[in-house]
Amino acid sequence: GAVVSQHPSRVICKSGTSVKIECRSLDFQATTMFWYRQFPKQSLMLMATSNEGSKATYEQGVEKDKFLINHASLTLSTLTVTSAHPEDSSFYICSAYNTASSYEQYFGPGTRLTVT
Amino acid sequence: GDSVTQMEGPVTLSEEAFLTINCTYTATGYPSLFWYVQYPGEGLQLLLKATKADDKGSNKGFEATYRKETTSFHLEKGSVQVSDSAVYFCALRGKAAGNKLTFGGGTRVLVKP
C-alpha cells in the first residue's frame, strides 16, 4: 500500500511553454502533498505544501506565480511550471502525507523536466 | 531552525564491506528521524525510521539508532551488496514543522563487486 505516482516521468518542453506534472496517491487519501525540487547530485528542496481544497503554502524564495499548485481532490495534486525556462530544468518529486500511517510521507518516482 | 548534517560522499566500498553513514541533527524538542534511499532516476523510498530516543530502526540489513545525547542517527550495514549502491538521505520531522521533512545533503554510496 501507500503508492504515489507521478506523471509524466520525463518531459521536454520549449522555453516559454507551460508544463503540468501530476502527483497521485493511488491507495490512500492525502490531505497534504509536498512538492520538492532536486538539482543534480543535491538534496531535495521543499518548494511548497499542497493542502486539499485550499491554497498551497510556498517556501521562501519559491515564486508562486511560476509554480502553480492545485490540490483539487484527496488523491491528486498538480504542479504547473509556467513560462518555463532552461533554469527550471530539474527533477521534481512529490510526496503524499498519509494520516492513517503515522503521518508517513510517501514519495513519488519523480519527474525529469528539461526545458530547451 | 531544524537542520541535518550528513557525511559527504561519495563513499566507495567493496561488496561485503561494512558501511557507516554519519548523520547529526539540530532540532527543538524530539523530532522523528528517517533514512531514505534514492536509486538512480527514482524518487525516495523510506528505508527506516525512529520516533523517540534510543529507538532503533532497521530494514534490509540497515540499522540506525536514535541517539539523543549525541543528536545522531548514523546508518550502518554490516555487509553491503552491489544493489545497495544509491544515494542515502537522513531526514528529520520536527514537532513544530507542520510535518515537513528536513533533509541532509545526501550521501552517494557506490559498492563495487
Side-chain angles (χ1 to χ4, degrees):
Chain A
V3 177
V4 175
S5 70
Q6 280 184 242
H7 178 79
S9 58
R10 290 178 176 270
V11 58
I12 301 173
C13 70
K14 292 189 176 182
S15 193
T17 61
S18 295
V19 175
K20 180 185 284 188
I21 302 170
E22 293 185 347
C23 177
R24 293 182 184 272
S25 57
L26 298 185
D27 50 3
F28 65 97
Q29 293 185 329
T31 54
T32 303
M33 291 183 174
F34 300 91
W35 285 97
Y36 296 86
R37 183 173 180 177
Q38 185 181 31
F39 292 100
K41 299 185 178 180
Q42 294 189 27
S43 190
L44 280 72
M45 180 192 78
L46 179 64
M47 299 174 65
T49 302
S50 169
N51 297 298
E52 187 267 336
S54 64
K55 290 184 178 180
T57 303
Y58 290 81
E59 296 299 303
Q60 192 172 9
V62 178
E63 299 176 61
K64 61 181 180 182
D65 293 331
K66 180 164 188 62
F67 297 100
L68 300 179
I69 290 172
N70 183 278
H71 195 156
S73 78
L74 286 171
T75 58
L76 173 65
S77 175
T78 60
L79 167 67
T80 301
V81 183
T82 62
S83 187
H85 288 95
E87 56 266 30
D88 299 324
S89 299
S90 193
F91 195 52
Y92 293 88
I93 301 175
C94 73
S95 70
Y97 179 103
N98 187 353
T99 57
S101 178
S102 303
Y103 299 92
E104 199 74 60
Q105 276 191 43
Y106 295 92
F107 286 80
T111 296
R112 172 76 58 195
L113 170 63
T114 303
V115 184
T116 61
Chain B
D2 296 347
S3 67
V4 177
T5 303
Q6 60 183 106
M7 58 189 291
E8 291 188 22
V11 175
T12 303
L13 302 164
S14 297
E15 209 165 19
E16 299 184 2
F18 185 88
L19 169 68
T20 299
I21 304 176
N22 290 339
C23 171
T24 56
Y25 67 89
T26 302
T28 54
Y30 303 99
S32 295
L33 302 173
F34 305 83
W35 276 101
Y36 285 88
V37 58
Q38 184 179 33
Y39 298 102
E42 299 183 12
L44 273 66
Q45 300 175 28
L46 177 64
L47 183 58
L48 53 84
K49 67 178 181 181
T51 58
K52 61 182 187 296
D54 299 325
D55 267 3
K56 178 185 282 188
S58 61
N59 185 27
K60 299 181 181 179
F62 290 90
E63 291 184 342
T65 301
Y66 190 143
R67 300 287 187 198
K68 174 174 169 291
E69 63 277 11
T70 54
T71 61
S72 64
F73 193 53
H74 304 323
L75 182 68
E76 297 181 336
K77 185 173 185 181
S79 177
V80 293
Q81 305 299 313
V82 172
S83 57
D84 293 324
S85 298
V87 180
Y88 293 81
F89 292 94
C90 185
L92 70 81
R93 186 178 66 221
K95 302 299 184 190
N99 291 300
K100 297 178 188 178
L101 288 170
T102 300
F103 287 91
T107 302
R108 185 174 301 275
V109 173
L110 176 61
V111 181
K112 296 186 174 180

